[in-house]
Amino acid sequence: MTSPLMGTSEPRNEILDRSVSPMRWLALGAVVGPALFTAAWLVLGSVSNGYTLFDHRFTDYSPISQPISGLGMGATAPYMNAAFILSGLMLIAGLIGVFRTTSAAEWTNLRRTALILLACSGVGQVMCGLFNLEAMMPHTLGFLLALGTPIVGFLIAGRYFRHVPGWRRFGTWLLVGSPLTLALLVAFFITFQPTADGAEHGIAGLVQRIGAVQVHAWFVTMGWLAYRRR
């Protein structure tokens, strides 16, 4: 039988729900980081007056044809590069929070591997902020880490989440993120033309932005689910 005292379980559950663990708060970094990054390239892309790259002057900035990294040059450079670094660090912290909240058991190799691979995306963003387009090699490596490692990372993480109570459906959907990310990355390289004319008239910038939003959407979902679920 349920006693009158046990009838107060609902308020008690509400109190427990308000007591959010530090790791769940940390998981919100996977929400705030991508949101900051997206807001940065949206706002700065609308106010940029162009930039100079390898002695070529781009008088206008086009989000359709030019990469996000172009905002890391010229007058918008301090703000975009800061957004690269801050959002990357927040993403890494958020992913640590996500994986720390998904299980109370010991870290499995699958869990650890998924975290490392996904965190490489944040590392890549930091590298893109530290090295602009004129530092071609380290900047390209940062780009590949940011948008390339999720191809494998989503597969590993999807397999892991499918074994976590309450995360199975998300884990199944995350497996779809892997081929989708691969397709968008391939599309970017197909449309990318490393010439001044290509950077001014192609659609590589649009394709890159679609890829970045798609990857970040998975991270945002992870962070929000980790925060909301006890």
Side-chain angles (χ1 to χ4, degrees), residues 148-160:
T149 52
I151 296 171
V152 179
F154 288 160
L155 279 178
I156 304 300
R159 288 185 57 200
Y160 168 70

Side-chain angles (χ1 to χ4, degrees), residues 54 93 111 171 174 196 204 226:
F54 297 127
R111 185 184 184 193
L174 188 58

Side-chain angles (χ1 to χ4, degrees), residues 11 49 59 64:
N49 60 357
T59 55
I64 302 298

Side-chain angles (χ1 to χ4, degrees), residues 99 107 110-121 123 149:
F99 281 86
W107 285 56
L110 190 64
R111 185 184 184 193
R112 187 180 299 110
T113 302
L115 172 57
I116 292 172
L117 286 172
L118 294 182
C120 282
S121 188
V123 173
T149 52

Side-chain angles (χ1 to χ4, degrees), residues 66-127:
Q66 293 172 30
I68 297 172
S69 298
L71 296 170
M73 308 286 291
T76 58
Y79 311 104
M80 190 67 236
N81 291 330
F84 268 120
I85 296 170
L86 289 175
S87 61
L89 293 175
M90 283 191 278
L91 177 58
I92 295 169
L95 289 170
I96 292 173
V98 168
F99 281 86
R100 289 293 298 272
T101 60
T102 53
S103 175
E106 293 183 1
W107 285 56
T108 63
N109 289 333
L110 190 64
R111 185 184 184 193
R112 187 180 299 110
T113 302
L115 172 57
I116 292 172
L117 286 172
L118 294 182
C120 282
S121 188
V123 173
Q125 287 184 208
V126 173
M127 289 183 64

